[in-house]
Amino acid sequence: MDYLNLTWLLAIAISAQWVYYDAKNHKIGKVPGKKGLLNMSAGSMACATLLLWLPTFPMYLYKRKALIEQAKEHPIEPAGKITFVLTGALFAASATIFIVNTTLPGCDSQDAL
C-alpha cells in the first residue's frame, strides 16, 4: 500500500471537513445577489475542497478573514446536512477505490519471501 497517497487522501478529507465546520460555525454561505468564486454554501465549499483541493483550500484560507467579515453582515444558516453527507460519501468512495486498487505482493515476490 502506498502510504504517501493515503496520507494525502486523509489530509484532503480532513481539510474538506474543516472547511465545512469553519464555514458553518462562522455562518459563511451563499449571499443572494452577490457574485464571487467563494460565494457558495458551506457544503459546496467542502465538496469543492474535496474535489479541487489544490486551488480551493489555499483560496479559502486566503479569503477566510474577508468571508468571516461578510458573514457578520449577512449570516447564513446552513440549510441541511445533505452536502456534508455527500462529502463524506465522496471521501468513502475515493478511499475504497484507493484501497481496492492496491495489491499485495504475490507469493513468488521477494517482498513476500
Side-chain angles (χ1 to χ4, degrees):
M1 182 183 293
D2 188 3
Y3 291 107
L4 183 61
N5 287 340
L6 184 60
T7 303
W8 274 108
L9 187 63
L10 287 173
I12 290 169
I14 290 168
S15 61
Q17 296 297 322
W18 179 81
V19 166
Y20 175 80
Y21 281 118
D22 186 62
K24 185 180 86 165
N25 289 339
H26 289 291
K27 300 183 190 280
I28 297 170
K30 183 171 177 68
V31 177
K34 184 170 179 166
K35 294 186 179 193
L37 194 56
L38 290 178
N39 187 27
M40 58 180 82
S41 68
S44 296
M45 281 188 224
C47 283
T49 302
L50 187 64
L51 298 173
L52 299 168
W53 184 80
L54 192 58
T56 308
F57 188 62
M59 187 184 336
Y60 179 80
L61 293 176
Y62 180 73
K63 293 284 192 176
R64 183 174 179 262
K65 192 178 283 187
L67 291 170
I68 291 171
E69 290 300 317
Q70 174 185 312
K72 288 179 183 176
E73 296 172 18
H74 306 284
I76 306 294
E77 291 293 329
K81 296 183 180 177
I82 294 173
T83 310
F84 181 68
V85 170
L86 289 176
T87 304
L90 279 171
F91 168 70
S94 60
T96 302
I97 290 169
F98 173 76
I99 291 169
V100 167
N101 285 337
T102 58
T103 58
L104 294 173
C107 291
D108 57 347
S109 170
Q110 288 297 325
D111 294 334
L113 296 175

